[in-house]
Amino acid sequence: MAILIRGGTVVNHDHSRRADVLVEGDRIVAVADRLDAPAGTQVIDAGGAYVLPGGIDPHTHMEFLFMGEVSADDFEWGTKAALSGGTTMIVDFCIPGPGQSMLAAYQDWRHKGEKAAADYGFHMAVTWWDRQVFDEMETVVKTYGINTFKHFMAYKGALMVNDDELYHSFSRCAQLGAMPLVHAENGDVVFRMQEDYMAKGVTGPEGHAYSRPPEVEGEATNRAIMIADIVGSPLYVVHTSCRDSHEAIARARAAGKRVYGEPLIQHLVLDAGEYMNRDWDYAARRVMSPPFRPKMHQDSLWAGLAAGSLQVVATDHCSFTTRQKRIGMGDFRKIPNGTGGLEDRMPVLWTAGVNTGRLTREEFVAVTSTNIARILNVYPRKGAIAVGSDADIVVWDPAATKTVSAAKQVSRIDYNVFEGFECTGVPKVTLSRGRIAWLDGDLRAERGDGQYVPRPAFSPVQVANATWKQLTAPKPVERVEVTP
Ligand code: URP
Ligand code: ZN
Ligand code: ZN
């Protein structure tokens, strides 16, 4: 069925204009000042609201077995939560189990993804290095449409990889036209600090924050940037949470390196004080890595989004229930790491970003949708209100309000780290590939409505990060015979 969105202001990352938008099937077929509705068209009156490209969250963990527990939102409920908050696509991390082949892990994730109510893609994790990983990376890129590989520099003894493994994997990414992603924290130092705090009797959630200071993130970010530069690959730093890491990224970009940074909505508005709450459950629910930071780091992250040195706002949605968090009572190292945020990302960012003047509405679109569509090579199929793009559209009411409340949320967990946050600016309607998924508080999306979105490899020009190579690669020299 055709749908006409009439009377709104279309906001793309580069401009806004008063325009109607016509959708036929799963695509946008016209964007113009004034459009007539063909017979049988459903008309949505935008009533002066904004018409935005659906949000894309490039960092989620659905039904993820981590630290002995499976995260509570699966693809069905995670994507339903996303749609209710204006996000129409997620990119989840496919993480092979110990010894598992990437190809088998991909099949497992595709199976989990069948439940999705919104579109989804995957990043593939590299958690060790051998010939099989080297070979399978090619299939992952060329056959499965995954052009990003994730590396954990933390979680020693579990997912962590060392510099040698990073070097090999980043090189392979560069060969394949893929991009490495890093969770940048120095896992060896975190491990030692955790031991030290436990030995001193600091066993509560605050020990989690103490043992992962900004310095460990800054160091790992610099190290990953150096390795990427040496092998000639771009780099994407997930959950950039602090000034140390942001400055490393900004410096690299100023030197011409293709390095991207992704703050989370949690790190932009919640700070380390959360871990000092005397209520153990309250503090443990907020345990994630990297942890929330002292407030001054937030200014740096906001500045990075405005200046363009940071490009994307994500959630790292990895939701564990209070019951699951309690496994770590008496030992903060055992609290499953992760928080939710998918349905709150866009309303909270609009409220804290656009309503305060930190971001323009076009910058909001850039950091919630377009930039990541471009970085992940799915633009303009995703990330734009344009003819030919998927009809992933949000009618955004900048005056409507909502107070975040776990009691009313779609997500399956029993709390919300943004509880009580008053949002002004919420989605009135969310269209997911041409289907009404959310309408004035009514969740219409159904399990299985989502589709897998493959992403082609980057061209060599898109990935070339040639600064170090250009400057230092030895030039072939002609040997000169010297006769005595
Ligand atoms: O605490 C977090 N972030 N949990 C999910 C796994 C990860 O590190 O992204
Ligand atoms: Zn991480
Ligand atoms: Zn994550």
Side-chain angles (χ1 to χ4, degrees), residues 11-13 52-59 85-90 263 265 268 302 305 310-315 342 344-350 354 359-374 382-384 394 396:
V11 184
N12 274 312
H13 77 286
L52 318 176
I56 302 170
D57 188 337
H59 191 154
T87 291
T88 52
M89 179 176 171
I90 62 167
I265 187 62
L268 286 164
W302 283 109
L305 291 172
L310 300 173
Q311 295 73 35
V312 176
V313 176
T315 63
L342 255 173
D344 313 301
R345 176 181 72 129
M346 305 220 346
V348 171
L349 186 70
W350 184 277
V354 179
L359 298 176
T360 66
R361 57 196 184 186
E362 291 81 8
E363 285 164 354
F364 174 84
V365 167
V367 301
T368 56
S369 180
T370 313
N371 288 354
I372 194 63
R374 296 170 77 178
K382 303 287 187 188
V394 184
W396 188 267

Side-chain angles (χ1 to χ4, degrees), residues 354-422:
V354 179
N355 293 346
T356 57
R358 284 168 168 144
L359 298 176
T360 66
R361 57 196 184 186
E362 291 81 8
E363 285 164 354
F364 174 84
V365 167
V367 301
T368 56
S369 180
T370 313
N371 288 354
I372 194 63
R374 296 170 77 178
I375 291 169
L376 296 181
N377 217 12
V378 283
Y379 182 82
R381 173 177 173 193
K382 303 287 187 188
I385 301 289
V387 173
S389 295
D390 281 1
D392 293 342
I393 303 174
V394 184
V395 179
W396 188 267
D397 185 343
T401 59
K402 127 176 179 177
T403 302
V404 175
S405 145
K408 294 194 189 143
Q409 72 192 6
V410 177
S411 164
R412 301 280 93 176
I413 54 169
D414 56 322
Y415 60 92
N416 187 311
V417 295
F418 301 106
E419 184 75 29
F421 193 97
E422 290 176 7

Side-chain angles (χ1 to χ4, degrees), residues 88-110:
T88 52
M89 179 176 171
I90 62 167
V91 189
D92 204 79
F93 288 87
C94 177
I95 304 185
Q100 190 186 26
S101 109
M102 284 181 174
L103 311 190
Y106 169 81
Q107 297 305 341
D108 288 351
W109 252 258
R110 282 302 298 267

